[in-house]
Amino acid sequence: MALQQRLDIRQAQSLVMTPQLQQAIKLLQLSNLELADYVDQELERNPLLERDDGAGWNDAPTTGVDREEAPAPVNESRVADTVELATSDRMAGSNDAPLDTDFENVYTNSSAADMDSAGLGSGEQFGDWSSRSGGFDDDGEGFEATLTERPKLRDHLEEQITMDFPDRLDRLVAYALLDHLDEAGYFTGNLEEVAVQLGCGLEQVETVLLRMQRFDPAGIFARTLAECLGNQLREKNRLDPCMQALLANLPLLAARNLQQLLKVCGCDAEDMSDMVAEIKALNPKPALAFDFEPVQTVVPDILMRASPGGGWIVELNTETLPRVLVNQRYHSRVTTGARSKADKEYIAEQFQSASWLVKSLHQRANTILKVATEIVRQQDAFFLHGLQFMKPLILRDIAEAIGMHESTVSRVTTNKFLSSPRGVFELKYFFTSAIQGADGQAAHSAEAVRYRIKALIDAEKADDTLSDDKIVEILRADGIDIARRTVAKYREGMKIPSSVQRRREKALGL
């Protein structure tokens, strides 16, 4: 067969990931706060983009999920088949009209009666509260003026070192030991290494450490948990031989081995219960009371509230959505003044990038709203009646309902949080596997089954504990077909000990 060159024309279809498409996909999986950082970078890079102050934007994308007034707990017919999406004409414009993602919050304080009927507010206005005596002071000071700075651990310990160690060398050793203190208050260094580093004797380092273990807070500079608890009990004059034996056998206490503990400590069950209660009152991490950092609360991306006429109102959190638009006037000015080909190409590229970004933001907002609304529709019984009524749900169910691909739904539900009357939940939380019902009944959500298992264990009597087999029997009687190993897996996932350990805990008074 001879080798030869030739030209062929072929027609084929392929999916090309353009930079614009990659950008739109990337925006879908960002939370609102992450999106704000991304938009800030684009504002710095693209001169045709500008931040919008939101003036004149009053139409926010909002969806309503209706239901009948007296719904059955699991009747899906309560949810209407239509979802109305309210958007402004400006958002639906072409490239000539700037698009925006300025979705203003539709919550209002004008109708207190509506809020009361929805069960979400007391009807009291902010202005009414602040005008009362005991509200804001007339001197103009805010809440920040009443806050006190939480003491720092190192500053607190350095003050005690200065007062308790007049000797210069002892003070130098104390500062060296202070550098080996972890965030929980335990000494994690090596005494021999500290002695070699400072060129002093090991006995002197140990003596300084023992003195520092009497610092405030009690239990600081301990090397083990037993030593930490023992130092705290010594401060209370409760470190007797029986308690020392208990601290020396903390693994037995962790295993709830009551019989062995009674034998080792040489006491009766009543004394053991009292000693365990004293240990529970101690602080195993004494340094955590210092250098306090407030917990960062989750900022929801979607807001949900009950509608006064029944159903739910789902909307985007406009407080965290970036507001950008294309500066058409500036674009016209620089386009007219451009002379070189490179300048014209740069302006065209930046205009196209800015327009695509605004379109992508608008499309992202609508997509998130559609997915969140369908999730609320599917899990309506959960929002009405609680966790035990959560239904099994997978990405395919939402994707088929709104006409999108599963991968799109997966990206939308990543790092997105929904604020509802029952709390703040990640959208991924509502997707749970299904557990088959007994006798061919409807399937049950795995999350609802976990809730049922926890409720059964919490309701145990003091003289009785439920084994995994017994829980299986109870659940099957309730129409849930589940295996014993599945019950054990769910129980361990919730950090609930076995029935034997729970029985030992009750005997120890834990």
Side-chain angles (χ1 to χ4, degrees), residues 349 413 434 495 499:
E349 179 183 352
T413 54
K495 301 185 183 302
S499 58

Side-chain angles (χ1 to χ4, degrees), residues 52-234:
D52 184 27
D53 58 1
W57 291 82
N58 296 321
D59 295 329
T62 307
T63 59
V65 180
D66 301 330
R67 62 170 183 270
E68 297 178 3
E69 293 184 355
V74 292
N75 187 1
E76 298 181 2
S77 64
R78 295 177 288 103
V79 183
D81 295 330
T82 60
V83 176
E84 296 181 358
L85 180 63
T87 55
S88 64
D89 295 335
R90 186 179 179 186
M91 292 182 181
S94 61
N95 289 341
D96 297 334
L99 302 177
D100 205 322
T101 56
D102 178 18
F103 306 138
E104 293 193 358
N105 200 328
V106 300
Y107 284 111
T108 61
N109 287 330
S110 59
S111 179
D114 292 345
M115 294 293 290
D116 291 339
S117 63
L120 300 178
S122 61
E124 183 179 13
Q125 301 300 314
F126 177 78
D128 299 336
W129 176 83
S130 61
S131 62
R132 297 179 183 176
S133 59
F136 294 112
D137 296 332
D138 296 335
D139 57 4
E141 292 186 357
F143 287 116
E144 294 81 0
T146 63
L147 298 178
T148 57
E149 183 180 1
R150 205 173 185 91
K152 296 184 179 299
L153 177 62
R154 188 174 184 90
D155 296 340
H156 183 64
L157 295 176
E158 285 179 351
E159 292 178 0
Q160 299 179 71
I161 291 175
T162 304
M163 297 177 60
D164 291 5
F165 292 99
D167 184 76
R168 183 178 180 182
L169 182 56
D170 289 343
R171 190 181 305 171
L172 181 63
V173 174
Y175 279 114
L177 297 177
L178 181 59
D179 293 335
H180 294 277
L181 196 69
D182 66 5
E183 61 181 7
Y186 287 83
F187 176 75
T188 58
N190 187 293
L191 296 181
E192 295 181 354
E193 294 180 358
V194 174
V196 172
Q197 179 183 358
L198 298 178
C200 61
L202 177 61
E203 183 178 354
Q204 183 179 8
V205 177
E206 293 177 345
T207 302
V208 172
L209 179 62
L210 292 178
R211 292 176 61 182
M212 297 180 71
Q213 288 180 352
R214 300 179 182 178
F215 281 3
D216 179 75
I220 199 75
F221 284 102
R223 287 163 288 187
T224 62
L225 176 61
E227 189 175 45
C228 176
L229 301 178
N231 292 338
Q232 296 181 55
L233 291 170
R234 184 180 291 107

